Amino acid sequence: MPTLEGAAGQLPWRLGFSAKLGRHAVADKDLPAGTLILTEKPVVAIPRSKLAGHVCHACFRPLSSPVENKEGFNPCLPRYCATCKHAPANAETVQLDSKLLGLRIKLADIAKEHPVEPELLHLLVLLDVRRSSQAAAADKPQGPATPGGEQAPPVLRCTVADADALNSPWERKPEAWRKAVTAALRPLHKELAALEESGALPGYRASRLEQLQSDAAMLICNLQGVGAEGASQDTGVGLFAAAAALNHSCRPNCHTVTMGQTMYVRTIVDVPAGAQLTVCHAQAYDPRPVRQAALLQERGIKCACERCSEPLAKSTDRYLEGVWCLNCTTDVLLAVPPGTPEAEAAAVVYEEQMAALEAEEAARSKKGGKKAAEEGAANGAPQEAQQSGEGAAEAPAAEAQQGEEGAAGEEGQQQQQKPVVRWWRCAGCGYVEPAHNTAASGPGDVLLQADKLWQQGAMLYQMKMPQLMPQAEAFLQSLQAGVDGRLHPYHARVIDSLAPLINLALRRGDALGVFNYSVALWEAENAIQGRYSLHQLQYLNAIIDTSAAKATHAQSAVVKRQFEKKLKAAKSTAAEIRRVLLGKS
């Protein structure tokens, strides 16, 4: 990557390569938590399609006269605020826009004809045009400007040459996605070839279709949100080539924050010299199978990071998908993958458990029968009647044994036709349960109930209709309670329920509810990941506000001191998170 090579010695890390990790970032020295390791501007950046008529395409600030996203709206057409339109720095961009106007009009038509986002086609055009222009003007890395502060790294302004150095997962993307994208790229490639032949852009050379395919997969995997300076949410997407050099990990040691069109990357834990620098591209609190499937589909990553590689039974990940074990009540049951040696072993353990239970019940029954016989003899029961009773008992016993053998044979035939039974096994005591039972209380049944509660609660909550909110809250509260206590407090579905419950409590003015739900969410995410996040900062702010209100209006000195203590601890933690993630006190 030319720009990173040009910044060698100015960054606290370098690029490395190995057969296992491929290209990756390596710390050159010990980096304490909160160290700023990268500041970068995007190679290309555009507004999101749904906001393209509401924000300036240069500074991403709101337009004074927005264009509504109605029928016939083209998100690829550039729109600028008065300041950016006449700014000398944007003169070249505005001139280029006039030459690309006809092509941009056709982009919307291509996107309509094929199931591809116009954002992707727009970015591909800009990337391809800049590839030729930078090659013609000697594609050299620009001298990075150093921001205020002698210890801060330079602001990197990567080029298309840096983007071309990124790996493209085109071959690892789903076949259906590749077919759909290729169908849209063929007419796009024809339009780019026509642009080259027209000579409207001196020196422009259209890339081959294979290059566009590679660019499409690379962009999908590396785009990050951008927006206006000081905005509370992202309004666009951009490509940050240097940041893309950091590999993914579900237990990262770095965190990215984009402010306006500048990305900042900081360490979130102490990183020793020589260690790999990583960021997370997945939802950190999704169960392991969900994270891995999303990474493979969206980024072509087969995650084998430290968190995904450690045994599930010993990882905090088990709480995200486990169901409380009723045998030991100290750990969770985990699904055993069907058709595996582990599933066969679980079936054997379950049979042993059932045999032990039957033996225990038989012993208890025998002990009870002997006691009854002794009581009958004491009451003068005839010996003959007792003997006849024993004989009568032996016959049904023999018949029952034959019946059990016959049933076992029938059951064996049925099991050959049925799919493999899915078992759940406790990560702590090893106890085994079937996924489902006749009482609908098996771990699989519990998860079905949890999914149903989440679907019902989330659907009603998203409708945002006041009259439906009480019912939505009731569903979510049942889920937050763990489906009658069967789900672990750190289960993914329980965590899912907490954010909407916090908002519902805020609407009702329930300060105590906001406090309790925020604390539960903070504790769950902190226990699972052990890494700071901006989400945690939001929960802490809710804890701070409610603690302050409760301390102010407390009716007793004891309650007042309790909330003042919680307020102090929350403020201290929030300040530390701001320092580490944002570099602010």
Side-chain angles (χ1 to χ4, degrees):
M1 300 182 74
T3 301
L4 284 178
E5 292 175 1
Q10 301 179 65
L11 300 172
W13 55 279
R14 68 184 187 281
L15 288 179
F17 183 85
S18 70
K20 180 179 179 180
L21 300 176
R23 182 175 54 219
H24 58 283
V26 182
D28 274 336
K29 58 183 180 180
D30 292 343
L31 302 173
T35 301
L36 180 63
I37 66 168
L38 176 64
T39 307
E40 184 181 6
K41 296 288 187 179
V43 179
V44 288
I46 61 172
R48 297 187 184 277
S49 295
K50 62 181 180 180
L51 298 173
H54 294 260
V55 299
C56 172
H57 288 217
C59 67
F60 293 85
R61 291 188 175 90
L63 294 172
S64 57
S65 301
V67 180
E68 294 299 326
N69 192 349
K70 297 180 179 180
E71 184 68 24
F73 172 78
N74 188 340
C76 302
L77 295 180
R79 298 167 179 85
Y80 300 106
C81 63
T83 302
C84 293
K85 187 174 183 179
H86 302 291
N90 293 327
E92 184 178 346
T93 301
V94 173
Q95 184 179 7
L96 177 64
D97 289 338
S98 62
K99 298 178 180 179
L100 295 178
L101 181 60
L103 176 57
R104 280 173 161 152
I105 291 175
K106 294 179 180 179
L107 290 182
D109 296 332
I110 295 174
K112 286 181 180 179
E113 185 177 351
H114 304 280
V116 175
E117 282 290 331
E119 291 175 12
L120 179 59
L121 300 179
H122 194 183
L123 286 166
L124 286 170
V125 169
L126 294 179
L127 198 64
D128 202 53
V129 169
R130 293 189 183 185
R131 177 179 287 116
S132 288
S133 63
Q134 290 177 356
D139 191 6
K140 299 178 180 179
Q142 301 179 19
T146 304
E150 297 181 358
Q151 301 300 321
V155 178
L156 298 188
R157 304 175 187 273
C158 289
T159 65
V160 178
D162 298 297
D164 287 341
L166 298 174
N167 293 325
S168 173
W170 172 260
E171 296 298 333
R172 299 194 299 274
K173 298 293 285 183
E175 183 179 359
W177 183 88
R178 283 183 284 142
K179 286 184 177 180
V181 171
T182 300
L185 293 184
R186 292 188 189 280
L188 175 62
H189 181 255
K190 291 181 179 179
E191 295 297 335
L192 292 175
L195 178 65
E196 176 186 345
E197 292 179 4
S198 70
L201 294 178
Y204 172 68
R205 295 291 180 270
S207 296
R208 299 174 58 191
L209 177 62
E210 292 77 11
Q211 179 65 56
L212 296 179
Q213 292 174 327
S214 177
D215 288 347
M218 180 274 294
L219 284 169
I220 288 294
C221 293
N222 293 292
L223 290 176
Q224 300 280 353
V226 297
E229 292 290 343
S232 59
Q233 64 178 0
D234 296 333
T235 53
V237 290
L239 172 64
F240 298 86
L246 275 67
N247 281 341
H248 160 83
S249 172
C250 295
R251 188 176 289 149
N253 52 25
C254 295
H255 179 80
T256 63
V257 174
T258 305
M259 297 182 182
Q261 294 189 56
T262 305
M263 173 176 284
Y264 302 90
V265 183
R266 287 182 170 84
T267 56
I268 51 177
V269 293
D270 294 341
V271 181
Q276 181 187 190
L277 298 171
T278 58
V279 293
C280 185
H281 295 302
Q283 294 294 328
Y285 310 108
D286 278 343
R288 184 179 295 182
V290 176
R291 293 199 313 269
Q292 293 179 331
L295 287 167
L296 184 60
Q297 180 177 357
E298 296 171 7
R299 293 180 174 269
I301 297 174
K302 292 183 178 180
C303 189
C305 69
E306 177 188 10
R307 181 178 170 188
C308 288
S309 299
E310 61 189 5
L312 182 60
K314 297 182 180 179
S315 170
T316 54
D317 274 353
R318 70 185 187 275
Y319 300 132
L320 292 169
E321 54 187 283
V323 176
W324 274 122
C325 174
L326 298 181
N327 183 61
C328 67
T329 68
T330 58
D331 217 314
V332 293
L333 296 160
L334 296 172
V336 181
T340 62
E342 291 80 6
E344 296 178 4
V348 172
V349 171
Y350 182 73
E351 292 298 329
E352 293 174 350
Q353 290 174 184
M354 293 300 98
L357 181 60
E358 291 175 1
E360 183 180 346
E361 291 179 350
R364 189 183 300 112
S365 177
K366 184 177 181 180
K367 184 177 180 180
K370 183 177 180 181
K371 183 177 181 181
E374 291 175 351
E375 292 176 352
N379 294 331
Q383 185 69 19
E384 293 80 7
Q386 183 177 347
Q387 291 177 351
S388 65
E390 290 175 357
E394 289 175 0
E399 293 175 2
Q401 183 176 358
Q402 294 176 0
E404 289 175 0
E405 291 175 355
E410 294 176 3
E411 185 179 354
Q413 294 177 359
Q414 293 175 0
Q415 286 181 349
Q416 292 178 359
Q417 300 174 358
K418 292 181 179 179
V420 179
V421 176
R422 189 175 187 184
W423 304 97
W424 289 62
R425 190 165 190 171
C426 179
C429 68
Y431 188 76
V432 174
E433 278 192 36
H436 307 280
N437 57 38
T438 55
S441 60
D445 299 311
V446 172
L447 288 189
L448 288 175
Q449 296 175 49
D451 288 340
K452 185 176 181 180
L453 286 171
W454 171 246
Q455 291 169 3
Q456 292 172 323
M459 179 184 67
L460 294 175
Y461 174 76
Q462 291 171 359
M463 289 183 179
K464 301 185 183 300
M465 298 174 64
Q467 64 270 29
L468 298 178
M469 292 303 102
Q471 191 176 358
E473 189 167 15
F475 285 129
L476 294 171
Q477 285 175 338
S478 296
L479 184 56
Q480 193 269 332
V483 189
D484 296 327
R486 287 302 308 274
L487 295 183
H488 194 281
Y490 303 158
H491 193 280
R493 281 293 181 228
V494 176
I495 295 177
D496 288 340
S497 71
L498 290 169
L501 281 172
I502 292 173
N503 291 329
L504 289 169
L506 282 169
R507 292 180 185 179
R508 291 188 290 103
D510 180 6
L512 185 59
V514 173
F515 178 84
N516 290 333
Y517 294 139
S518 298
V519 169
L521 193 49
W522 160 258
E523 290 177 347
E525 295 194 353
N526 193 50
I528 293 295
Q529 177 71 316
R531 299 288 192 272
Y532 288 148
S533 71
L534 292 178
H535 289 107
Q536 292 176 347
L537 194 58
Q538 295 176 354
Y539 313 145
L540 281 173
N541 287 335
I543 294 173
I544 290 170
D545 293 340
T546 52
S547 296
K550 283 292 182 181
T552 301
H553 299 95
Q555 299 295 320
S556 70
V558 175
V559 174
K560 182 179 179 66
R561 284 196 298 271
Q562 288 177 343
F563 278 100
E564 285 178 343
K565 184 178 180 180
K566 296 179 186 295
L567 176 61
K568 182 178 180 181
K571 283 185 174 181
S572 176
T573 305
E576 176 63 8
I577 292 179
R578 290 191 188 94
R579 182 192 69 80
V580 171
L581 298 185
L582 305 175
K584 299 178 180 180
S585 60

